[in-house]
Each structure stands twice: as C-alpha cells, then as structure tokens.
C-alpha cells in the first residue's frame, strides 16, 4: 500500500485495490454525486411535478387540453383569478403570478424562468378608472392555487402563529377573536329582485344592506388581499349532483382557510380544473382586516356580506372559517330552489337495500349519533339537496364538534382526526401535542374539519335515491312528546317549519328549567326564502316519491328535566331501526290529545308503556299542564308564519295550521 509524505498509509477508496468488497465486505459506500450545484437546487430535486389524478379516458386527452398548451391554460387561469381580484375602480386587475414568493430562489435553481417578467392581469372592458396608478398596480400578487394539504401544512406552520401538528397528524389552528359565527353581522344586498324573493322582516335571519355598501366592503377586502405578497385560491365544487353542481372560488389570506375549504368543498380532479373556467360564486375572505365601522349598516368591525346578483361574498373582521361554509350553504338555499331542488339542513344515510333516510335536528338532538350507523352508508352529515333524481350531499367534508369528544362515543370522528384534518381552537399538551378535548380554555365550540372519505362507511360519490323516511328529531326536555310519532304531510310541514327542541339552561338561583328553542326548517340561520316555501317543496317531494314523516323525541320521559329520565339511547336506536326496516308502517296506532300525533301501540324490544308519555308520568295533572304549556309555545312561535300564503290561496297554509296543537 502506498504511503503519504508523513508516513501514514494512503487510504484507497476506488479501483481494483479494494478487493475485499468482492468477498461481501464493502469499504466504500460512496455513490454518484447529486446533480446539484447549490443547496436550493438540491432541494428542488425533492419535488417532481404532479400527474393528473384522473386518467384520460380511452387514451385521448380532453378537447380543452388538446386545444391549449399548458402555458396558455395557466395564463387563462391566472387571468380569471386576476379578474376575480380586480378593483372596480381601476382599469386592470392586479398582476398575478403563480407560486410562493419565498421560493423564488428555488425556481431559479431549477432553471425555471423568473415569475416576474410576464405577469397576467385582467382588463375591465367598460370601466373608467378613477386612479390611474396605485401602489398595488406596481406589485405582484403571488397565487397559491389549489395547494395540497401537505403544502398548506407547510404554509400554516411557517407563517401562521398558532399552527401546530397534533399527535395524530391533524393541523391545530386558531380562528382569532371570533370562535363562532357572527349572525348579527351577516348581511345580504337587498335589490329589486331579492326584495321580492327573499324572506325579510320579523323572524327572518336576513339583514339587509345596499349595493353601494357591499361594493365599499368588497373594495376594502380586495385592496387588502392585493396588498399581500401572496393569496390562496381554491377552485372547487358544491353539490355531488354533477348536473346541478356550483363552481366556487375562495380567495383567502390564510393557509388555514384554504385547507378548511379544501376539506369542506368537493375537490376537483386535475382534469376538472383544466375545464373549470369562470366560477359561479366567489368568496373574498379578508377576515384578518376589519370593516370600516363608519360605513353605512356596519355595527361592529365584522361584516359578512352576500350579493346574490353579483354572486359574491365578502368577509371582513372575522377569521372563523365556518362563515365560509355556512355562507355558501345560504347561497345554495337560494340557488337550488330556483331550479326546483330542495336544499336541506340534514344528515342523510342509506341502507343496504338502497333505502335513504333524512335526519333533521338541532344541536343536542342526536342527529350526528343517529345518522351515523355502521350498518348504513353515510351520504352526508349536514347539508343536502333533493332533486328529481334523488339526494346529494352539498359538501365534500364534515365539520364535527369536538368538545368532550371520545373514542368510545364517536369512534368515526375520533379516527378521522389525522393528517389533513383541521382542528379549530383546541387545547393540546405542549410537549406530546395530544389534544385535550375536554378543555374549553379557548372556546366550547372546538371543531374538526375533514374530508368525508375519512369516514369508513361514507358513500362515494355522495348521492342516493329518493328518501323513504324523513325523521324530525326533538330533544323534548318537557317530557311530553312521545318517543316516536308518524306524521301526515301537513304535520310534517308544521313540525319542519317549527324546528323544535328544548335546551336545559341554568337560572340565577341554580334551578334548571327547560327552554323551548325553535329554528325554522331546522336551520333558520341559513335559509333565504320564507320557511313555508321549503316546507311546501318538502311535502311535494315526499308525496311524489312516497316518503313518510316521523317525529322522534330523544329527550325526557316520565317528567320534565329534573323529574323524569332521558329516553334510553338503545330504545331510540330500536325506534330508528324499526323506521328503516318498515316495521312501523304496519304497526297499530292511536292518536294523542292536544298535538294529535299518531303513536304506535307496540314496537318490538321497547316497553309499550313508554310509547304514550302520559303513562310514564305519576302526576297526570302535571303532565297535562306541561303539555298545554308546550303547545302554547308552539302556537306562539308559529304566529310569525300564520299569515303567509302559499300559492294562489291560503288553503295549504290553513292545513298546516290545523296540523299543529289544538286546545
């Protein structure tokens, strides 16, 4: 072996001298050097371009793809985004380029052209600009377009304070000062058309604003978004019924918002994105920036504004992501009925024989628990459409409450909280990152947003045939409603419009009393039209397709809260199973007093005495007194709907009123 000048043996690493490696012993672990000259270039080699997720059928490319080069397709896509971000007072939209501004060095290392030489912007054809040049017109806005969950994780963790990866892989994030919706700050433009179509006045959730105020807020939101180095853009769909789906574009400033909507809306394939074109509806989420409180109609620094004519929504002063989800739901409550499609705030599942059931119910009624059934496929947990072809889920994900979540009570939700899921406002161990779902330090309204395919028995695509059963759930803390009642069509309409449940609330002296809660159509905060219009559409579809209505009480029996006991969950599950199987269609029935409900005299596996609530009360006088009290609350709540005529005369309205309590 050769020696070095200092007398030490020279180490040989190449060539024939390293013969020991022929005997299975290798002293040389070197390999060919990487094809990179800089660390940025090395990092660029980690990532390769994504292939389309949808294979082209029959080996042929789509007509759109064949006509356009990739460069031209991206140019048109950016031009569409520039048009969305355009100020209405300037001649052109902002100069937009694709990519993260923090990765400009990586692009150069990879040999890609710099994004700055050829920005894309949109020209207004009929606008006289009031400002010829502005600072925003001199800068570039980088567009992070339809990023994957992994990319959005990186953006959130790097740039958004309060973003962490939990022990199960979910992204924990904070929604800022607002941890719930702001219904008093939500407004809809009242123009000539919406003044006639929408429900306004007493009892309505719709608060009016004028066109000028909307445009003022839109300008504020667009200017804020254009002032940023980058914005997130999601192009997605609503409604799994492909004949009636809506194209939505969400422009936001936070990775949290982009990932939330990635999960909650329907995710397009690469092929569908190529043909996406102009969106049907656009959200401008500038929630980190407040509205101007001196602007007309503004009562706080928060404003959530919808303009149905422009098909736009503007969010200022709240970072709570649920505003986007429920804002779009409200839009669907307007758009779908115009097509003869009923939009519904409900859960939906399907049996092995193709029998579909709709579940309506307010918080605490057991809607999530009862609609999640391992023997049935889940079509969706919250928002649906009922068209002439059947039911379809509006969304592509689930938005579940997390407070007091446990693996034993809600295993499907528990297991869905993994990589890709957004966890809002939860508290976790600073070292292990394990979430404490009982901790309410930030808010009681902790939530998880995840794709629906995270639920093992989800039906993909989320569509089904016409429902056979429409189940209205009520948690009656007064203890006077029967565990189950079969409803005729007018009764179904009456109880659907009422949207009743009872909550238990504490009083100052510590005594807890039931409090009746009514929410029209089981979702009053989101409906656009008068509740009777949705009820009439529901009755029409039930009659046309042979669905049966049911009122199921998951609340108390044998007395009101504090006296009686809550109806056992196994009994309620047996009732739901009997509805699904058709057993209750052939049961014997009798009618109750006051509410006039048809109740079965016998159900297999359930004590017959609990089916009629009067049997479970020891104090019959107290039962009748409480029954009349609840009936009075129903009547008082229904006064706001009593004078509304459906159709050319008031006959249907009269039938609905007659279906309520009589005493």
């Amino acid at each position: 072996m050769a020696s070095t000048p200092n007398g030490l043996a020279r180490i040989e690493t190449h060539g024939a001298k390293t013969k020991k490696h022929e005997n299975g012993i290798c002293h040389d672990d070197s390999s060919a050097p990487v094809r990179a000259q800089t660390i940025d270039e090395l990092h660029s080699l980690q990532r390769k371009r994504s292939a389309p997720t949808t294979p082209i059928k029959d080996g042929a490319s789509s007509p759109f793809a064949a006509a356009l080069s990739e460069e031209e397709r991206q140019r048109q896509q950016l031009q569409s985004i520039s048009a969305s971000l355009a100020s209405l007072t300037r001649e052109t939209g902002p100069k937009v380029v694709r990519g993260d501004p923090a990765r400009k060095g990586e692009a150069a290392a990879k040999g890609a052209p710099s994004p700055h030489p050829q920005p894309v912007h949109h020209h207004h054809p009929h606008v006289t600009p009031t400002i010829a040049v502005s600072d925003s017109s001199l800068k570039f806005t980088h567009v992070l377009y339809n990023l994957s969950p992994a990319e959005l994780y990186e953006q959130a963790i790097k740039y958004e304070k309060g973003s962490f990866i939990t022990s199960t892989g979910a992204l924990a994030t904070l929604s800022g000062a607002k941890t719930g919706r702001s219904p008093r700050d939500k407004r809809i433009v009242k123009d000539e058309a919406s003044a006639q179509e929408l429900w306004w006045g007493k009892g309505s959730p719709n608060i009016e604003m004028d066109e000028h105020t909307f445009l003022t807020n839109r300008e504020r939101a667009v200017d804020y978004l254009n002032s940023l180095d980058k914005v997130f853009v999601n192009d997605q769909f609503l409604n799994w019924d492909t004949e009636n789906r809506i194209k939505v574009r969400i422009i936001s400033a936070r990775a949290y918002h982009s990932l939330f909507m990635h999960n909650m809306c329907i995710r397009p394939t690469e092929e569908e994105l190529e043909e996406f074109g102009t969106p049907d509806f656009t959200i401008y989420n500038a929630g980190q920036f407040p509205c101007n409180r001196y602007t007309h109609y503004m009562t706080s620094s928060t404003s959530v504004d919808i303009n149905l004519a422009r098909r736009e929504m503007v969010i200022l002063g709240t970072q709570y992501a649920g505003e986007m989800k429920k804002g779009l739901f409200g839009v669907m409550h307007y758009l779908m009925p115009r097509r003869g499609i009923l939009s519904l705030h409900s859960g939906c599942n399907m049996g092995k024989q193709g029998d579909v059931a709709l579940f309506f119910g307010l918080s605490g009624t057991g809607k999530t628990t009862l609609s999640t059934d391992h023997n049935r496929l889940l079509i969706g947990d919250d928002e649906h459409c009922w068209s002439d072809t059947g039911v379809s889920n509006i969304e592509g994900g689930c938005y579940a409450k997390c407070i007091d979540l446990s693996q034993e009570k809600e295993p499907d939700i528990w297991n869905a909280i993994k990589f890709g899921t957004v966890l809002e406002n939860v508290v976790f161990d600073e070292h292990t990152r394990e979430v404490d779902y009982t901790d309410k330090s930030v808010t009681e309204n902790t939530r998880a947003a995840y794709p629906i395919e995270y639920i093992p028995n989800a039906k993909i695509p989320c569509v089904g045939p016409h429902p056979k059963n429409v189940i209205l759930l009520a948690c009656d803390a007064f203890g006077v409603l029967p565990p189950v009642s079969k409803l005729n069509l007018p009764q179904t309409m009456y109880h659907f419009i009422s949207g009743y449940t009872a909550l238990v609330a504490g009083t100052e002296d510590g005594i807890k009393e039931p409090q009746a809660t009514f929410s029209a159509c089981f979702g009053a905060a989101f409906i656009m039209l008068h509740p009777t219009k949705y009820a009439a559409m529901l009755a029409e579809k039930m009659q046309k397709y042979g669905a049966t209505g049911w009122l199921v009480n998951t609340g108390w029996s044998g007395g009101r809260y504090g006296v009686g006991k809550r109806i056992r969950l196994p009994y309620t599950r047996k009732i739901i199973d009997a509805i699904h199987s058709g057993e209750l269609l052939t049961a014997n029935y009798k009618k109750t007093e006051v509410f006039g409900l048809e109740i079965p005299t016998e159900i297999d596996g359930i004590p017959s005495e609990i089916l009629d609530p009067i049997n479970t009360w020891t104090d019959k006088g107290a039962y009748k007194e409480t029954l009349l009290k609840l009936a009075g609350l129903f009547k008082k709540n229904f006064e706001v709907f009593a004078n509304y005529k459906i159709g050319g005369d008031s006959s249907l309205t009269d039938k609905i009123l007659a279906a309520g309590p009589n005493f």
Side-chain angles (χ1 to χ4, degrees):
M1 179 177 288
S3 61
T4 62
N6 59 12
L8 298 176
R10 186 185 302 277
I11 298 174
E12 300 287 350
T13 59
H14 295 278
K17 293 183 179 180
T18 57
K19 294 180 179 178
K20 286 188 179 181
H21 118 185
E22 296 176 5
N23 300 324
I25 302 173
C26 182
H27 296 276
D28 181 12
D29 61 355
S30 65
S31 60
V34 295
R35 301 187 308 275
Q37 301 300 316
T38 66
I39 192 67
D40 284 339
E41 191 174 342
L42 176 60
H43 288 170
S44 73
L45 296 176
Q46 285 182 296
R47 300 183 302 276
K48 65 179 182 179
R49 184 166 184 159
S50 299
T53 56
T54 303
I56 304 299
K57 296 178 182 178
D58 302 323
S61 61
S62 68
F64 190 88
L68 297 176
S69 66
E70 176 67 13
E71 183 179 356
E72 177 63 15
R73 185 184 68 80
Q74 288 200 15
R75 191 191 70 79
Q76 290 191 7
Q77 193 177 70
L78 286 174
Q79 190 172 44
S80 173
I81 294 170
S82 177
S84 295
L85 280 167
S87 163
L88 299 179
T89 62
R90 300 188 181 101
E91 189 174 10
T92 62
K95 297 174 178 137
V96 294
V97 292
R98 288 189 70 151
D100 186 349
R103 290 181 173 170
K104 283 184 276 187
E106 295 178 15
K110 206 168 184 177
S114 168
H116 282 191
Q118 293 183 325
V120 176
H121 54 100
H122 166 75
H123 287 271
H124 279 305
H126 304 296
V127 171
T128 303
T130 57
I131 303 175
V133 179
S134 68
D135 287 342
S136 62
S137 70
L138 301 177
K139 66 178 284 294
F140 295 90
T141 300
H142 288 77
V143 173
L144 302 183
Y145 183 72
N146 275 44
L147 295 191
S148 68
E151 293 172 305
L152 291 168
Y153 266 51
E154 293 168 5
Q155 290 288 325
I157 291 167
K158 188 173 182 180
Y159 300 110
E160 296 178 14
K161 193 172 181 179
S163 298
F164 298 88
I165 300 177
T166 69
S167 61
T168 62
L171 180 69
T173 187
L174 295 172
S175 65
K178 297 293 179 74
T179 58
R181 291 182 299 103
S182 303
R184 294 182 181 179
D185 294 312
K186 181 181 174 184
R187 292 171 177 80
I188 300 174
V189 172
K190 189 175 184 179
D191 53 24
E192 188 174 342
S194 63
Q196 298 299 317
E197 294 177 306
L198 270 56
W199 178 29
W200 304 99
K202 185 178 179 181
S204 169
N206 301 320
I207 305 172
E208 68 176 271
M209 72 186 310
D210 59 31
E211 174 87 1
H212 176 77
T213 302
F214 175 86
L215 294 178
T216 300
N217 283 352
R218 182 192 186 277
E219 193 76 359
R220 191 172 177 90
V222 166
D223 282 347
Y224 170 74
L225 292 168
N226 286 333
S227 74
L228 304 175
D229 285 336
K230 63 187 177 188
V231 294
F232 298 90
V233 177
N234 292 40
D235 280 349
Q236 295 182 253
F237 299 116
L238 295 178
N239 197 356
W240 284 81
D241 175 4
T242 55
E243 295 298 315
N244 292 291
R245 70 183 180 186
I246 301 297
K247 298 183 293 183
V248 293
R249 172 169 291 164
I250 304 101
I251 305 173
S252 58
R254 291 192 62 181
Y256 148 50
H257 291 149
S258 184
L259 180 57
F260 178 91
M261 294 306 279
H262 169 89
N263 290 347
M264 295 311 303
C265 295
I266 299 167
R267 294 157 289 283
T269 64
E270 287 289 332
E271 189 178 34
E272 288 171 331
L273 275 181
E274 289 179 2
E275 301 176 353
F276 192 85
T278 304
D280 299 314
F281 198 89
T282 303
I283 294 178
Y284 300 94
N285 189 338
Q288 290 167 289
F289 199 65
C291 66
N292 186 340
R293 295 188 65 169
Y294 286 98
T295 305
H296 191 40
Y297 295 101
M298 300 300 102
T299 56
S300 75
S301 60
T302 299
S303 190
V304 179
D305 310 326
I306 294 176
N307 190 324
L308 295 171
R310 291 185 58 86
R311 304 284 179 96
E312 292 177 340
M313 177 179 176
V314 171
I315 299 174
L316 291 164
T318 174
Q319 297 179 61
Y320 181 66
E323 293 287 9
M324 295 182 287
K325 165 188 160 67
K326 290 304 186 183
L328 287 176
F329 188 33
V331 171
M332 293 295 279
H333 269 311
Y334 171 75
L335 295 177
M336 292 297 102
R338 289 162 63 94
R339 302 185 183 187
I341 299 170
L342 177 59
S343 49
L344 300 164
H345 188 211
S346 69
C348 183
N349 66 23
M350 185 178 79
K352 296 175 182 177
Q353 305 302 317
D355 55 299
V356 169
L358 294 172
F359 292 81
F360 296 88
L362 303 179
S363 180
T365 60
K367 181 182 73 169
T368 301
T369 301
L370 295 172
S371 62
T372 303
D373 186 333
H374 290 282
N375 295 316
R376 297 173 66 82
L377 296 175
L378 179 70
I379 293 177
D381 74 328
D382 195 42
E383 303 175 8
H384 293 88
C385 287
W386 188 353
S387 70
D388 288 338
T389 59
V391 292
S392 57
N393 191 347
I394 290 175
E395 301 180 296
C398 303
Y399 193 35
K401 291 181 180 179
C402 289
I403 196 67
D404 296 325
L405 179 68
S406 69
Q407 190 171 14
E408 294 72 29
K409 291 181 181 178
E410 300 287 355
D412 285 344
I413 297 175
W414 179 276
N415 293 328
I417 299 176
K418 56 186 179 181
F419 182 83
T421 296
V422 175
L423 276 177
E424 284 182 330
N425 302 315
V426 298
V427 177
F428 50 84
D429 184 278
E430 64 179 354
H431 175 60
T432 66
R433 299 293 198 262
E434 290 183 1
V435 178
D436 180 358
Y437 292 107
T438 65
D439 197 314
K440 307 173 185 177
S441 298
V442 179
T443 178
E444 190 170 337
N445 188 33
T446 52
R447 296 270 184 164
Y450 49 85
I452 193 167
E453 54 264 31
Y454 281 17
I455 299 297
N457 64 327
K459 184 183 182 300
I460 307 295
C462 303
V463 296
H466 296 290
K468 287 189 175 181
N469 293 294
V470 174
I471 302 170
L472 313 182
L473 300 170
C475 178
D476 178 29
F478 290 94
V480 294
L481 290 182
V484 60
S485 313
K486 186 170 73 170
L487 306 175
N488 58 35
L489 283 178
Q491 285 177 324
T492 302
M493 295 172 75
Y494 182 89
H495 288 279
F496 176 71
I497 293 170
S498 296
Y500 163 72
T501 194
L503 306 178
V504 177
T507 59
E508 290 183 6
D509 60 0
I511 300 173
K512 293 188 174 181
E513 295 281 348
Q515 290 188 348
T517 299
F518 297 93
S519 182
C521 306
F522 293 92
F526 321 119
I527 60 176
M528 291 276 189
L529 313 179
H530 196 278
T532 53
K533 292 188 177 181
Y534 299 105
M537 289 184 71
L538 177 63
E540 179 186 359
K541 291 188 181 298
M542 288 178 66
Q543 186 172 36
K544 184 175 181 180
Y545 301 110
T548 305
W550 307 90
L551 179 64
V552 174
N553 174 23
T554 63
W556 272 255
S557 177
R560 66 171 181 82
Y561 175 84
V563 178
K565 294 182 179 179
R566 188 154 191 182
I567 298 169
R568 293 179 57 195
L569 181 57
Y571 289 162
T572 303
R573 286 198 183 277
K574 283 185 179 295
I575 288 170
I576 299 298
D577 289 343
I579 290 173
H580 290 324
S581 69
E583 176 189 338
L584 288 188
L585 290 176
T586 59
N588 295 318
Y589 287 86
K590 67 177 184 179
K591 184 175 288 190
T592 65
E593 56 182 346
V594 181
F595 277 87
L597 299 170
E598 295 283 341
I599 60 174
T601 57
E602 188 176 358
I603 300 176
D604 187 36
I606 298 176
S608 297
E609 60 269 18
I610 75 166
L611 297 176
D612 189 344
I614 193 171
N615 295 334
T616 63
W617 284 62
T618 54
D619 188 340
K620 308 301 183 187
Y623 165 79
K624 291 189 176 182
E625 181 182 342
T626 307
L627 180 65
L628 292 173
K629 178 181 178 180
L630 181 60
L633 293 172
F634 265 86
K635 276 191 170 293
K636 183 177 181 181
N637 171 71
F638 218 84
E639 287 174 359
V640 70
F641 312 118
N643 296 323
Y644 192 88
K645 292 184 179 180
I646 304 174
D649 55 44
S650 61
S651 60
L652 184 53
T653 305
D654 293 339
K655 288 181 180 179
I656 297 173
L657 289 171
N662 292 290
F663 57 99

